[in-house]
Amino acid sequence: MTWVSKTRVVLVDDHDVVRKGIRNLLRKAADIVVIGEANNGYDAIKMVNQLRPDVLLLDIEMPGMNGVDVVRKLEEAGLSTNILVLSAYDDQVYIMEMLGSGAAGYLLKEETPEYILDAVRGVASGQKGWVSAQVAKKLGRPAVAQTADATLTFREMDLLRLLESGKSDAEIANIFALDEKSVGQMFTFLVAKLACRNREEMLGLAKQRGWVD
């Protein structure tokens, strides 16, 4: 049997229902495991110190100590960990504070499940700049701070191949068992990730780099 290393996540959110939903999403991924949960910033810091997760999936608005303070306290304590913010707020001040304090990414809770999972994996591997399209718009930069040399996920490669084959969003949605809106969002994220202006430019880049025929 081949041993596959799993991405170890500590999940922090003060809303039990929200935290349960995120936990259930993460548990669907065979390569991700939730090793701890907290509903406040103080416990989040304790868990990072004790469990040393690969990723701290962190909310912002919490009682006692908010997410911004958690990031700062971790840095002051020398507790190095990859932090991915998952928030309901797209306030630019929050975004800049979190990313400026060392968070590797900032996602909104309305993200597609696939994108959240890819962001967790990316942040765990040391990538930085994973942000939602809405967040990227506020910052004036791509949804993922990677260049065209960024490593693509298997799903992203499949998206490019299906696009190159002439499949419509509706047909791709059927293949992936998703709704058409989710497929459109996935393409939006991928276009931004590769720093392209549209799908046509992205497809040209994919052909140039040999990702598609």
Side-chain angles (χ1 to χ4, degrees):
M1 179 183 294
T2 301
W3 173 257
V4 179
S5 178
K6 293 190 176 185
T7 297
R8 302 163 67 251
V9 176
V10 163
L11 171 60
V12 184
D13 195 296
D14 65 320
H15 292 95
D16 293 343
V17 173
V18 173
R19 197 170 63 253
K20 179 180 178 181
I22 299 170
R23 179 204 313 142
N24 290 340
L25 166 64
L26 297 177
R27 284 180 173 173
K28 291 179 181 178
D31 59 331
I32 297 174
V33 59
V34 177
I35 60 171
E37 295 182 35
N39 61 9
N40 63 80
Y42 298 104
D43 287 344
I45 294 173
K46 290 179 182 178
M47 285 192 174
V48 169
N49 185 38
Q50 294 170 357
L51 302 177
R52 302 301 170 103
D54 300 308
V55 176
L56 174 63
L57 195 55
L58 182 65
D59 189 17
I60 289 184
E61 285 293 340
M62 296 180 292
M65 182 188 297
N66 65 26
V68 177
D69 292 332
V70 170
V71 175
R72 289 174 178 166
K73 293 290 185 182
L74 288 173
E75 185 177 5
E76 291 171 3
L79 296 173
S80 177
T81 190
N82 300 303
I83 300 170
L84 178 61
V85 179
L86 188 58
S87 174
Y89 298 93
D90 66 348
D91 182 89
Q92 189 169 10
V93 174
Y94 275 147
I95 297 168
M96 296 302 293
E97 281 187 324
M98 293 302 285
L99 296 179
S101 297
Y106 193 113
L107 303 186
L108 300 179
K109 290 179 178 177
E110 62 192 33
E111 277 301 344
T112 61
E114 294 81 9
Y115 193 71
I116 293 174
L117 294 176
D118 283 344
V120 169
R121 295 179 182 112
V123 167
S125 69
Q127 295 177 2
K128 294 183 180 296
W130 280 85
V131 296
S132 295
Q134 188 173 334
V135 172
K137 186 176 181 180
K138 286 182 177 291
L139 299 177
R141 63 178 174 80
V144 180
Q146 306 291 324
T147 67
D149 294 319
T151 300
L152 299 184
T153 66
F154 289 118
R155 175 156 295 202
E156 288 168 342
M157 291 294 291
D158 287 341
L159 273 176
L160 287 173
R161 294 187 182 109
L162 291 169
L163 179 64
E164 194 276 334
S165 71
K167 298 288 187 185
S168 67
D169 283 15
E171 291 172 317
I172 296 173
N174 186 55
I175 293 170
F176 285 160
L178 298 170
D179 57 58
E180 193 170 340
K181 180 180 178 181
S182 295
V183 171
Q185 289 177 329
M186 290 166 68
F187 273 122
T188 298
F189 297 143
L190 188 53
V191 166
K193 178 176 180 177
L194 297 177
C196 294
R197 290 172 294 183
N198 50 50
R199 295 190 189 188
E200 290 72 22
E201 184 175 304
M202 178 177 68
L203 192 55
L205 176 64
K207 291 178 178 179
Q208 177 185 347
R209 293 185 175 273
W211 296 334
V212 298
D213 297 332

